Amino acid sequence: MSNAASNESSRSRGKAPAGERVADWADGRLGIYSLAKANMRKIFPDHWSFMLGEVCMYSFIIIILTGVYLTLFFHPSMAEVEYHGSYVPLQGQLMSQAFESTVNISFEVRGGLLIRQIHHWAAVVFIAGMLVHMMRVFFTGAFRKPREVNWLFGFLLLVLGMFTGFTGYSLPDDLLSGTGIRFMQGAILSMPIVGTYLSMFLFGGEFPGTDIIARFYSIHILLLPGIMLGLMVAHLILVFYHKHTQFAGPGRTEKNVVGMPLLPVYMAKAGGFFFLVFGVIAAISAIATINPIWNIGPYRPDQVSTNAQPDWYMGFSEGLIRIMPGWEINFWGHTLVLGVFIPLMVFGLVLVAIAVYPFVESWVTGDKREHHILDRPRNAPTRTAFGAAWIALYFVLLVGGGNDLWATHFHLSINAITWFVRIGMFVVPVLVFIATKRICLGLQRRDREKVLHGRETGIIKRLPHGEFIEVHEPLSQEQLHTLTAHEQYKPAEIGPAVDENGVERKVKASEKLRAKLSHAYYGEGNQIEKPTLEEFKEIEAGHGHH
Amino acid sequence: MSSHDISEDNLPHKQAHAHGALGVADKDNPFADPGLPPHEHRIQDIDEKASKRSERIVAALFTLSMLATIGFIAAFVALPVDKIVYIFPLGHISALNFSLGMTLGVALFAIGAGAVHWARTLMSDVEVAAERHPIEASPEVREQVFSDFRDGVTESGIGFGRRKLMRNTLLGALTLVPLSGVVLLRELGPLPGEKLRHTMWSKGKLLVNVNTDEPLRPSDIAVGSLTFAMPEGLHEHDHDFQKEIAKAALMLVRLEPNDIKDKRELEWSHEGIVAYSKICTHVGCPISLYEQQTHHVLCPCHQSTFDLADGARVIFGPAGHALPQLRIGVNDEGYLQALGDFEEPVGPAFWERGES
Amino acid sequence: MKKLSARRRHPLAAIVVLILALAATGGLYAAFAPAGEAQAEETAQSLAIDEGKKLYTVGCASCHGTGGQGTSDGPSLVGVGAAAVDFQVGTGRMPAQQPGAQVPDKPALYDQAQIDQLAAYVASLGAGPAVPTTEQYDPAGADVARGGQLYRTNCAQCHNFTGEGGALTHGKYAPDLSGVAPKHIYQAMLTGPQNMPSFPDTTMPEQEKKDIIAYLQAVNGEDSVSPGGLKIGGFGPVAEGLFGWVFGLGALVAVAIWVAARTAKAKKS
């Protein structure tokens, strides 16, 4: 900035200003000018929901910064030590060095507690942010071509984020996270054939052993975040390369992007937003405590506390495991632990559903064009309903994961809640699917009314013959365009039953399925025809005669 | 698939005709794109006073940030790490944590707020449209790439059926070489063997009260009470304490012998005292939420519920089988002792477990 | 049926006054009477049992039977001891108001003098744990850290890490321990009220109970510290997740809306 300011004065001296000379030097070696030419004035559209991804990126950066600080004090060792620090209620207790060093970070290192809390709160916000960011992308159809690969990158970031969070939550070796590791070990044991071997290899012997914290440590601070950093960079590069999507509106087409340039507006807004995110998380960490391990105590496999839950992002898997009936099949001297193994598989399926959706939808539509104009959720009722149903399932499972707290806070029976979740995980998503679709169609009808008959003004007029009417104000062309800009697909039909040579061909099952799905998406009653020009003109002509 | 792919007719029109060219409103089509609306000025664009005010706000925010950073450093230097203050409604909290967090929060937030306010009120807010270009390459480029690739493959000699031996041995080598890495992972831990089948309990081992570290007598255990025991010879300071207690942890309750419904349970008990593994058969949480009136024991992790009066059979929740019972009796001196190890593996079920 | 006792509050109050007056008179008489001290104590004891029996007949007999033998509505009180009575009545659990999965605590209906009389009467039905003396449960000087370890072994599975309580089966629950008097915590461990198992002195000596009480006071007392800030209930990750979503992500979305919002335009003239 200061270099730019001194431009004028130095130019008068007949020599390029220092800033320019540095830039020239770099360009001669790195070729930065062509990069800058393409990106410096890159256009980004303005919408608050486009900043959700930034929330994730910034909290990830915050996590890395604070995480590096924490590694300076944390000892990832399970060697037993006696505590003699300043926290009285743990005085003289046996604990692992991992636990002791975490307590020391909290009570002996100035600002250590703050950094720990920022690290953990940022993790909670990071994954919540990713989920909401993905909802935005999903409900607006931003995952369509050409962005399917970026959707997958985002999906991988979510899954890796969950596991990085889980390993981090486990590092202090406290009674709560130790119970979580115990659960993980039980889940691994349930895997047919390989379970016991995997468990022995992961823990370096029997549970809990003395290796797991050190192994989780290298996974938590190196392996997973390393992959995530790479994915995040790739994710960002693709966002730049594809250029950002935008909502329909006057002047916004599939062939352009409307907004403000990276330099200076987005530099200031996005850069500023980093500080805003960091500031909010720092303030939260000053106000609210998270994971107070000194209250939880060191891990001992024969101790436990009620309210034993993982961090929220693993809550749905906790729900799955809590509601599962205790099925176990014994045969030929072997045990198939379905009560644990089925939830483990369903956990994977719930996540994989996210990853494959874009490909399912593009198969159903057969659409191979690029899409840069976003859908309003109401204009894709079936997709929106699928998304809402997924969220409903996720939420019902979260309820199952916290069933003990629901029981105590709402004075309910924990058994009743468990049964509710057992049935609800099948029923609630269906109900939500139907309701969401109805709501979307209702909103589409309202849009149609608005286009054809104008906006209801709320002004009641009495006509000379005594009739009362509400005055409808016609929409501006901008509004008309925005409300009719979306595309509507026609449902796909099964192709002709005979081929070009008149020979009867076999209609493949996949083809039938696709036609069925296509009808469910775009068939009669599954979307409201948007008003046509003819309809509009007819009604307008009618009004003229009034 | 391709011959009967969805026909292009099902796709919506390419909309190009519906959307007029940028800025050129189609008089006959009220749905056409009217183009970007004209730019409207902000107050700051036309009112010098307003823009000065914005500038002052931005500068004030940046100044606030500087002050907050100084406050951060001051708090860091001045406040002892263990100072506790009462702040409503947060409670008795660390003065250092609160002041560091708040000053850091303000210092960061003010920078962000200043930058954003600057961008929103003083930087140009003229919306600009930039062209998009299709991601796909043109057919010419595509053709060029493929022909380059073909050339490369031909020059290498691998393609088109030539020098198959070389190609196949290379593939073989590349497939085998990662095996070294996989083999190295073998050192991560021992093989399971019979490890999961045995615990520290054996015939004659006394039941030691976890609370007092003293061996238990039957008279110590009252009806309706709950006691936790570990095998004699296990101590908290032992290097393998965690591993052993994870399997050997025991839960003792005394029932009226008439209340015991399971015949084997009664046989394995002593004067109504029954000893069950404390480790849940679901995924291994220490299960010990004992309801003394119903004789049910609940797992706090996943709510598996076992009936201790009926062979610890599962009556609710995800556990697949009953809690293992330890056969107990008294020794010559009147102390409770184990009459052997558990007859089945304790803790979570696994593939090799089999029916007991 | 149990509501009867609640409705009888007012008539009961009159009786209470009467009994207090009687007790006072009796006490004064005993104090000034020329007989030996031991005899006076014994007399006072039997007087308390008598008064306790009267209270019992009015407030407790409908469920627990006229002689404490128990009915289908309430368990036998023979042998439960004075400590159980002092806990149940002192925490307001007894007399119970309505049937349910569990009898909750509420403001006590009887004053301490009456509770002592009831306890004396029930204790006379059969031997059981006596009401602990202050010396027994006073946590001063106890080992807080040892108490923490004992608490995690014996109590946390139901009552949560810091005594915030937790759920049991079919609507039953382990109550929140914040604000519960040391005496009542001690008695609960000693007698095992409702579905809570007991932890008698034979398996958990007096000193260990004191340690546990001291630990609870340290982590869940009025002056307990929470260095990191708001405890958010002390329920662990569920509460933290909810807080993170509402106040963390919520605040950030609010900020994002501000960042992306259009700046006010100059009015069109």
Side-chain angles (χ1 to χ4, degrees), chain B residues 18-36:
Chain B
H19 291 219
L22 258 187
V24 187
D26 184 346
K27 283 272 181 301
D28 292 338
N29 182 1
F31 294 172
D33 183 0
L36 277 179

Side-chain angles (χ1 to χ4, degrees), chain C residues 104-190:
Chain C
D105 60 340
K106 57 181 181 293
L109 280 179
Y110 297 87
D111 62 27
Q112 193 56 49
Q114 292 170 313
I115 295 171
D116 291 345
Q117 289 163 354
L118 273 171
Y121 170 67
V122 172
S124 74
L125 300 175
V131 175
T133 60
T134 318
E135 199 180 82
Q136 282 176 292
Y137 59 76
D138 182 19
D143 184 344
V144 176
R146 170 89 183 120
Q149 196 196 358
L150 289 163
Y151 180 87
R152 286 189 288 276
T153 303
N154 296 284
C155 321
Q157 72 264 34
C158 298
H159 289 284
N160 157 306
F161 299 109
T162 51
E164 311 290 347
L168 297 172
T169 65
H170 297 288
K172 296 186 283 282
Y173 58 92
D176 183 1
L177 300 179
S178 32
V180 180
K183 180 170 87 165
H184 291 144
I185 296 176
Y186 189 95
Q187 286 166 337
M189 290 191 271
L190 194 64

Side-chain angles (χ1 to χ4, degrees), chain A residues 20-333:
Chain A
E20 283 182 22
R21 273 184 287 132
V22 171
D24 288 342
W25 185 91
D27 183 57
R29 281 139 191 98
L30 304 168
I32 57 167
Y33 286 163
S34 42
L35 206 66
K37 183 179 162 241
N39 292 312
M40 204 185 254
R41 295 285 277 181
K42 191 134 193 137
I43 299 300
F44 282 91
D46 240 347
H47 193 273
W48 68 267
S49 70
F50 298 166
M51 310 194 75
L52 290 165
E54 282 176 53
V55 170
C56 308
M57 179 170 74
Y58 296 149
S59 39
F60 186 52
I61 294 171
I62 295 166
I63 292 169
I64 293 177
L65 289 176
T66 50
V68 168
Y69 182 82
L70 291 175
T71 61
L72 304 178
F73 301 94
F74 178 73
H75 303 302
S77 156
M78 291 173 90
E80 294 280 316
V81 287
E82 223 169 84
Y83 179 75
H84 293 294
S86 62
Y87 186 68
V88 176
L90 286 172
Q91 219 39 262
Q93 292 297 298
L94 279 181
M95 55 183 65
S96 66
Q97 274 191 4
F99 186 86
E100 189 209 27
S101 59
T102 314
V103 172
N104 287 344
I105 288 172
S106 309
F107 293 132
E108 324 289 340
V109 177
R110 312 170 136 265
L113 179 57
L114 182 70
I115 300 299
R116 244 198 86 213
Q117 300 204 132
I118 291 178
H119 190 70
H120 204 144
W121 277 124
V124 166
V125 167
F126 176 40
I127 302 178
M130 281 200 279
L131 206 63
V132 178
H133 174 51
M134 288 187 102
M135 285 182 204
R136 196 282 292 173
V137 171
F138 181 87
F139 287 117
T140 58
F143 55 77
R144 291 171 296 171
K145 191 182 170 187
R147 297 185 177 77
E148 299 100 319
V149 177
N150 224 13
W151 171 264
L152 287 183
F153 285 173
F155 163 78
L156 286 175
L157 280 167
L158 174 73
V159 175
L160 292 174
M162 285 168 53
F163 283 97
T164 314
F166 177 79
T167 48
Y169 152 96
S170 303
L171 287 183
D173 200 18
D174 56 283
L175 189 48
L176 181 63
S177 70
T179 309
I181 296 185
R182 176 84 229 213
F183 156 69
M184 188 195 72
Q185 193 248 355
I188 291 174
L189 280 183
S190 80
M191 295 167 88
I193 305 168
V194 296
T196 45
Y197 292 85
L198 283 184
S199 168
M200 290 288 159
F201 289 167
L202 183 61
F203 288 84
E206 285 182 77
F207 177 86
T210 51
D211 293 329
I212 191 68
I213 295 294
R215 289 179 182 180
F216 267 17
Y217 185 63
S218 86
I219 294 172
H220 176 73
I221 70 159
L222 182 67
L223 183 64
L224 296 182
I227 300 172
M228 286 177 74
L229 200 61
L231 279 172
M232 197 189 73
V233 170
H235 196 76
L236 272 179
I237 288 175
L238 278 180
V239 168
F240 266 73
Y241 181 62
H242 290 145
K243 299 197 173 85
H244 209 284
T245 51
Q246 58 191 353
F247 282 106
R252 282 143 224 260
T253 71
E254 290 283 10
K255 295 203 157 52
N256 72 5
V257 52
V258 177
M260 280 179 254
L262 182 66
L263 190 80
V265 177
Y266 264 84
M267 210 69 113
K269 280 195 175 184
F273 195 49
F274 168 73
F275 290 98
L276 292 170
V277 172
F278 206 161
V280 167
I281 291 176
I284 284 176
S285 308
I287 291 167
T289 196
I290 187 162
N291 199 20
I293 51 148
W294 50 90
N295 277 339
I296 293 169
Y299 182 60
R300 241 180 80 162
D302 65 332
Q303 295 178 343
V304 73
S305 165
T306 190
N307 306 144
Q309 265 108 358
D311 272 354
W312 76 265
Y313 41 83
M314 285 291 181
F316 79 101
S317 62
E318 180 77 6
L320 279 170
I321 199 95
R322 285 186 181 203
I323 62 164
M324 185 68 199
W327 296 344
E328 205 169 282
I329 300 175
N330 285 289
F331 59 97
W332 305 315

Side-chain angles (χ1 to χ4, degrees), chain B residues 39-44 46 84 89-90 92-94 97 109 112-113 116-117 120-121 125 127 209-212 216 219-228 236 278 288-294 296 298 300 305, chain C residues 75 146 149-150 153-154 157-158 167-170 172 191-200 202-205 208 222-231 255 257-268:
Chain B
H39 176 246
E40 283 174 53
H41 287 297
R42 291 166 300 197
I43 303 159
Q44 288 84 356
I46 50 175
I84 299 289
L90 307 178
H92 298 273
I93 63 172
S94 154
N97 184 66
F109 195 91
V116 170
H117 193 65
R120 277 164 46 85
T121 59
D125 73 334
E127 282 196 316
N209 185 346
V210 173
N211 292 344
T212 59
L216 285 156
S219 58
D220 294 340
I221 297 164
V223 171
S225 70
L226 175 65
T227 313
F228 301 116
E236 225 194 330
K278 195 186 179 182
S288 44
L289 284 72
Y290 176 55
E291 301 178 357
Q292 56 117 336
Q293 289 173 344
T294 58
H296 294 168
L298 169 76
T305 312
Chain C
R146 170 89 183 120
Q149 196 196 358
L150 289 163
T153 303
N154 296 284
Q157 72 264 34
C158 298
L168 297 172
T169 65
H170 297 288
K172 296 186 283 282
T191 63
Q194 301 193 39
N195 260 306
M196 174 171 165
S198 62
F199 297 88
T202 46
T203 53
M204 186 192 275
E208 296 192 346
E222 263 176 32
D223 297 326
S224 296
V225 300
S226 171
L230 209 61
K231 266 177 83 178
V255 170
I257 290 173
W258 171 65
V259 173
R262 302 198 149 256
T263 317
K265 300 290 178 191
K267 276 194 190 105
K268 282 181 198 166

